[in-house]
Amino acid sequence: MTGLPTRRRRDENGSAVVEFVMLGVVLLLPLVYLVLMLGRVQAGAYAVSQASREAGRAYVTTDAGQDANGRARGAARISLLGQHLEDKGRLTHARGGTPCLRADGRVETTATVQVPLPFVPAFLGDVLPLSVPVSASHVSTVDRFRVLP
């Protein structure tokens, strides 16, 4: 065995740690962004669901002489404000019959919001979507035994 040439091995102590950290960063960053994006979209879904429900309730409980549309818009704005989406939302009403504030009258409210994606720069707007549209609808019924003018 003394006549065979010996090969020198490279010392690789510590390289596994470097490879693990690099691979972890490459895989972890997209995962963290995905969690942030899904969390933001879920917050938008909660906001529009609550906004449509509260706007419908505010509309059908309006007393005589009050502005039903104004009350509904105010309730929706407060609901969207909780998720910091008040300036990106829109509320629409669909009334079932006239007058809509009659006993057993139905009002459908639809809230829509454009949820902005986190950390997407504006100059990528031509290539990537900068927001995700989220909407929810709710049908509210005027109380059957409510006394209306």
Side-chain angles (χ1 to χ4, degrees):
M1 288 289 235
T2 57
L4 295 173
T6 60
R7 291 177 129 178
R8 291 187 59 159
R9 290 181 145 174
R10 281 186 9 197
D11 188 21
E12 293 190 9
N13 288 338
S15 66
V17 172
V18 173
E19 290 171 3
F20 179 75
V21 168
M22 293 302 291
L23 190 61
V25 166
V26 168
L27 293 177
L28 191 62
L29 284 178
L31 183 65
V32 168
Y33 182 77
L34 180 67
V35 168
L36 284 173
M37 184 185 68
L38 290 176
R40 211 50 211 140
V41 170
Q42 185 64 39
Y46 284 142
V48 295
S49 175
Q50 183 179 4
S52 64
R53 183 179 64 245
E54 294 302 323
R57 289 179 60 199
Y59 195 94
V60 298
T61 58
T62 301
D63 290 331
Q66 291 182 336
D67 180 22
N69 288 328
R71 285 190 66 194
R73 281 192 308 272
R77 181 170 167 72
I78 290 171
S79 298
L80 294 174
L81 185 66
Q83 298 296 334
H84 306 289
L85 296 169
E86 66 277 359
D87 56 344
K88 296 165 182 57
R90 189 184 62 191
L91 182 70
T92 58
H93 306 291
R95 297 170 187 93
T98 53
C100 60
L101 290 178
R102 67 185 188 289
D104 279 340
R106 298 185 192 286
V107 175
E108 180 180 2
T109 52
T110 302
T112 305
V113 76
Q114 293 287 333
V115 179
L117 296 178
F119 309 121
V120 177
F123 67 85
L124 292 176
D126 295 336
V127 181
L128 296 172
L130 300 179
S131 62
V132 175
V134 181
S135 66
S137 295
H138 182 76
V139 176
S140 300
T141 306
V142 178
D143 188 20
R144 176 181 294 181
F145 301 108
R146 183 172 171 202
V147 178
L148 296 169

